[in-house]
């Protein structure tokens, strides 16, 4: 809270005032509030669990091609885990009619998890049909695209802040 002076050039409707008499000063009381978010706790509570889910999804691309059950289970479990985390975050926020930044982050994790399940099934089918290059391509694509997507999305989100 602090005080300052404000000068007005208005005659305030007084028709008898001359231009030389204009220049009234008023006292003004200012209130200032600084609001800061505890970034470390927010990160640990929301972003760190998502990073762990993404690390598990990334590890699924190192599972052998004939282990379709393990790869699909990793993807589905990651999807369900991220959905529970999203519901927890949504219940912590007040009811708002628009999407916040973390909503888009969660949607990205949902897409990566669904693509992980699809990649696991595609690798299994390609391995069963002896398409070795396809298996290697899908695995290499997942190993490269997940980190590239995380870095790209992270740098884009950083520019928004």
């Amino acid at each position: 809270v602090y005080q300052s002076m404000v000068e007005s050039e208005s005659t305030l409707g007084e028709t008898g005032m001359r231009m030389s008499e204009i220049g009234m000063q008023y006292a003004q009381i200012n209130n200032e509030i600084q609001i800061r978010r505890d970034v470390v706790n927010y990160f640990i509570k929301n972003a760190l669990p998502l990073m762990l889910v993404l690390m598990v999804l990334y590890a699924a691309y190192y599972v052998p091609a004939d282990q379709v059950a393990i790869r699909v289970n990793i993807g589905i479990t990651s999807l369900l885990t991220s959905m529970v985390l999203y519901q927890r975050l949504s219940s912590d926020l007040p009811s708002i009619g628009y999407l916040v930044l973390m909503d888009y982050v969660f949607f990205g994790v949902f897409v990566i998890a669904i693509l992980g399940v699809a990649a696991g099934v595609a690798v299994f089918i390609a391995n069963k049909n002896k398409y070795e290059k396809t298996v290697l391509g899908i695995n290499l694509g997942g190993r490269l695209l997940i980190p590239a997507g995380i870095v790209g999305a992270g740098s884009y989100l950083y520019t928004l802040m």
Side-chain angles (χ1 to χ4, degrees), residues 14-25:
E14 293 288 331
T15 56
M17 294 184 86
R18 291 176 289 162
M19 290 301 281
S20 62
E21 296 174 351
I22 299 175
M24 304 174 80
Q25 291 188 346

Side-chain angles (χ1 to χ4, degrees), residues 5-97:
M5 297 299 288
V6 177
E7 192 169 309
S8 174
E9 295 179 3
S10 172
T11 62
L12 300 176
E14 293 288 331
T15 56
M17 294 184 86
R18 291 176 289 162
M19 290 301 281
S20 62
E21 296 174 351
I22 299 175
M24 304 174 80
Q25 291 188 346
Y26 300 97
Q28 177 177 343
I29 296 178
N30 303 294
N31 292 320
E32 184 177 317
I33 299 174
Q34 293 183 359
I35 300 174
R36 294 183 186 163
R37 175 180 285 167
D38 187 7
V39 177
V40 174
N41 283 339
Y42 186 79
F43 177 78
I44 290 172
K45 185 177 177 184
N46 296 308
L48 187 62
L50 279 181
M51 294 303 290
L52 295 174
V53 167
L54 287 172
M55 288 170 55
V56 170
L57 283 169
Y58 181 74
Y61 287 96
Y62 290 95
V63 173
D66 60 341
Q67 302 292 323
V68 68
I70 293 173
R71 291 181 80 145
V72 171
N73 283 338
I74 287 173
I76 291 173
T77 304
S78 298
L79 181 63
L80 293 174
T81 302
S82 58
M83 285 183 171
V84 169
L85 291 170
Y86 179 64
Q87 289 301 319
R88 183 188 51 113
L89 176 71
S90 295
S91 67
D92 288 348
L93 292 176
S95 180
I96 52 177

Side-chain angles (χ1 to χ4, degrees), residues 98-118:
Y98 55 89
L99 298 174
V100 295
L101 182 64
M102 281 304 289
D103 291 327
Y104 293 109
V105 171
F106 273 102
F107 297 157
V109 173
F110 297 159
V111 168
I112 291 172
I114 291 169
L115 290 175
V117 171

